[in-house]
Amino acid sequence: RARPRFLRLRGIIPLAIIALAAWIFILSVLVVELPSDDPWFYDSRVAFSGVVDWAKIALGVRPRDCAVALPIPFSARLPLVFPNATKRNATRIPPIVHFVFGYSGNVALSFLNFVAVASALHVLRPEKVLLHTQHEPTGMFWELVRPYVTLVRARTVDSIFGNPMSHYAHKADIVRLEALIQHGGIYLDIDVVVLRPFDDFMNNEVVMGLQGNDGLCNAVIAAAPNATFLLRWYDEYRNFGRVANTSNWDYHSVVLPRILAKRFAQDITQLPFRSFHWPLWTDEGLQLMFGSFAYAYEENRAVHTWNTAVKSSKFRDFGMHWCFECRSTLVSMLRAYVPDPLFSAVVPCESAGGEAMGVRMASALRSLAAQRLSSWEALVVDSRDGCAATAAATLEEPELAPLRARERLGPAG
């Protein structure tokens, strides 16, 4: 006897669900594994992957809610507005933040560099931020924080006490110590994200955080001017390169300050390792930072993101675009620093190219529109050959029609 129709359908539904799940799996693999050599391919892939991301959430592969809040909420609505310096009683450590930038040769401010500066301005509320550099930074992110930062021309460091010095990291070590000895304040590596205020230890003479059990890392230093501990530390550079291991990557920046702290404990306050430098730069630590929700940063005053280690890890392509995906606790928190409206830097209209470059610009802008971001703006930098006009004439989408041509103003656009 024939089965009722609804019973026959009940047998088909599970098969349809299985087929749909298999299709979603194959589709997601294709999207993740496709090559991205073409500069605009990534954009179309992101636009397409929204469906796949939704499917993964529906299957429980990724967290349903990855909107992890910062300890101190931040809004990156443009133009950026930072609170005025907190009115506080005079402290031994002055409310000045120092960064050293550009000694590695790269002068383009990255998204992570931007977050480091913006988080210091937002959370610490300093009276001023000093960026010690030999060349002014460039790029979109620099333009966003430029009004809040004072540039300080950093000296060329070729030697210290007659001892040759060639590595950019060692040169930056000298610049930060000299700046703190002269001015006092808070030094931060430009890959350190500040999460909580430092107010409770600003009356100490010197404050540093443990790196593991055997080091004090110089990526975060808070100090009074002419602090005794810093003067002793600086004087130890008389032996730089002359004694075995003293020119190693981290001897003077991590190992030596811990040795001095054990001998002169009265001159320094040592904070627990989770204060600034946890997770570590190891594979496991980078996984916690960029690929896991297992760590909540409940004890962190700041997070040292170990940019040098990241560049040689599987997370080397970290950038602002990661903040639109549920990748980790830290990355989800950083989403608060994504500029809104999102300024998307696209290919500049160069004089070499003319009409062809205009057509390529139009293609790039269509790709940008395909992202379906909630809000964005395109900055088009035009030469005098009518490139932007060609792009505007090529476009058909009404939301992209109003293009404003600008004369190129230099490397920073």
Side-chain angles (χ1 to χ4, degrees):
R1 186 174 59 177
R3 300 171 68 186
R5 186 176 180 183
F6 78 91
L7 290 178
R8 294 200 301 270
L9 288 175
R10 287 178 61 186
I12 295 173
I13 291 174
L15 292 176
I17 293 174
I18 293 172
L20 178 62
W23 178 83
I24 290 172
F25 174 77
I26 293 171
L27 188 60
S28 65
V29 170
L30 286 175
V31 171
V32 171
E33 297 300 330
L34 281 173
S36 55
D37 295 334
D38 176 43
W40 305 117
F41 179 81
Y42 177 79
D43 293 338
S44 58
R45 181 176 66 172
V46 171
F48 183 60
S49 67
V51 177
V52 178
D53 290 344
W54 177 86
K56 287 181 178 179
I57 292 173
L59 293 173
V61 177
R62 294 167 68 173
R64 291 181 180 274
D65 182 8
C66 63
V68 180
L70 288 162
I72 300 178
F74 179 75
S75 172
R77 181 72 184 173
L78 298 179
L80 294 178
V81 176
F82 295 102
N84 294 327
T86 301
K87 293 183 178 179
R88 52 172 72 89
N89 295 327
T91 54
R92 296 181 73 183
I93 299 173
I96 303 171
V97 171
H98 303 266
F99 292 100
V100 175
F101 182 74
Y103 275 86
S104 65
N106 182 15
V107 294
L109 207 72
S110 70
F111 172 66
L112 188 56
N113 300 151
F114 161 74
V115 173
V117 177
S119 65
L121 284 162
H122 171 61
V123 179
L124 301 181
R125 301 191 177 193
E127 290 182 356
K128 54 186 173 181
V129 173
L130 304 181
L131 183 70
H132 303 264
T133 181
Q134 293 185 311
H135 305 281
E136 181 174 353
T138 62
M140 169 182 69
F141 293 114
W142 169 241
E143 297 301 325
L144 294 179
V145 295
R146 184 179 187 178
Y148 309 98
V149 175
T150 300
L151 290 175
V152 178
R153 177 74 177 180
R155 74 179 183 90
T156 301
V157 181
D158 294 321
S159 64
I160 182 71
F161 294 117
N163 303 317
M165 186 168 281
S166 58
H167 199 287
Y168 71 87
H170 294 151
K171 296 180 179 185
D173 291 344
I174 296 301
V175 173
R176 77 190 66 181
L177 282 179
E178 291 178 347
L180 288 174
I181 290 170
Q182 180 179 357
H183 302 285
I186 299 168
Y187 168 80
L188 301 170
D189 269 6
I190 205 159
D191 61 352
V192 170
V193 180
V194 182
L195 298 181
R196 294 177 174 87
F198 295 0
D199 294 348
D200 57 315
F201 59 66
M202 294 293 282
N203 273 313
N204 295 349
E205 186 173 23
V206 175
V207 179
M208 295 180 68
L210 289 169
Q211 176 183 307
N213 295 320
D214 301 320
L216 283 173
C217 181
N218 71 346
V220 180
I221 309 170
N226 294 303
T228 301
F229 185 85
L230 297 192
L231 293 172
R232 285 199 183 99
W233 184 0
Y234 189 83
D235 193 60
E236 287 290 329
Y237 276 90
R238 296 181 185 277
N239 297 320
F240 183 83
R242 295 184 178 183
V243 180
N245 300 325
T246 58
S247 60
N248 285 357
W249 168 266
D250 66 348
Y251 178 79
H252 275 82
S253 58
V254 178
V255 178
L256 177 60
R258 178 62 168 157
I259 293 172
L260 294 175
K262 290 178 178 179
R263 292 171 55 194
F264 306 102
Q266 73 279 4
D267 295 330
I268 184 171
T269 299
Q270 302 175 70
L271 297 184
F273 68 92
R274 291 183 187 271
S275 299
F276 306 127
H277 309 298
W278 186 265
L280 288 173
W281 71 91
T282 60
D283 290 344
E284 295 79 6
L286 296 182
Q287 178 66 29
L288 272 181
M289 279 193 286
F290 297 103
S292 170
F293 285 84
Y295 184 60
Y297 301 89
E298 294 176 348
E299 301 175 46
N300 287 70
R301 304 293 188 100
V303 188
H304 186 189
T305 60
W306 312 103
N307 188 50
T308 301
V310 170
K311 288 179 178 178
S312 59
S313 75
K314 65 180 181 180
F315 304 107
R316 65 178 64 89
D317 66 334
F318 169 76
M320 184 174 66
H321 59 284
W322 280 35
C323 297
F324 294 97
E325 302 180 15
C326 299
R327 290 178 177 260
S328 73
T329 304
L330 178 62
V331 174
S332 296
M333 288 194 292
L334 296 187
R335 184 169 184 170
Y337 285 96
V338 174
D340 177 25
L342 177 63
F343 275 84
S344 299
V346 294
V347 179
C349 280
E350 300 280 5
S351 57
E355 182 176 347
M357 182 61 76
V359 173
R360 184 180 180 190
M361 172 63 72
S363 174
L365 291 172
R366 286 197 193 94
S367 179
L368 176 61
Q371 307 311 305
R372 299 295 184 260
L373 300 173
S374 59
S375 60
W376 53 270
E377 294 183 19
L379 177 65
V380 180
V381 184
D382 195 14
S383 58
R384 289 190 175 89
D385 64 353
C387 171
T390 302
T394 306
L395 292 168
E396 297 177 358
E397 290 81 7
E399 67 270 27
L400 293 177
L403 280 176
R404 184 177 182 182
R406 293 182 55 191
E407 181 177 339
R408 187 167 186 177
L409 302 178

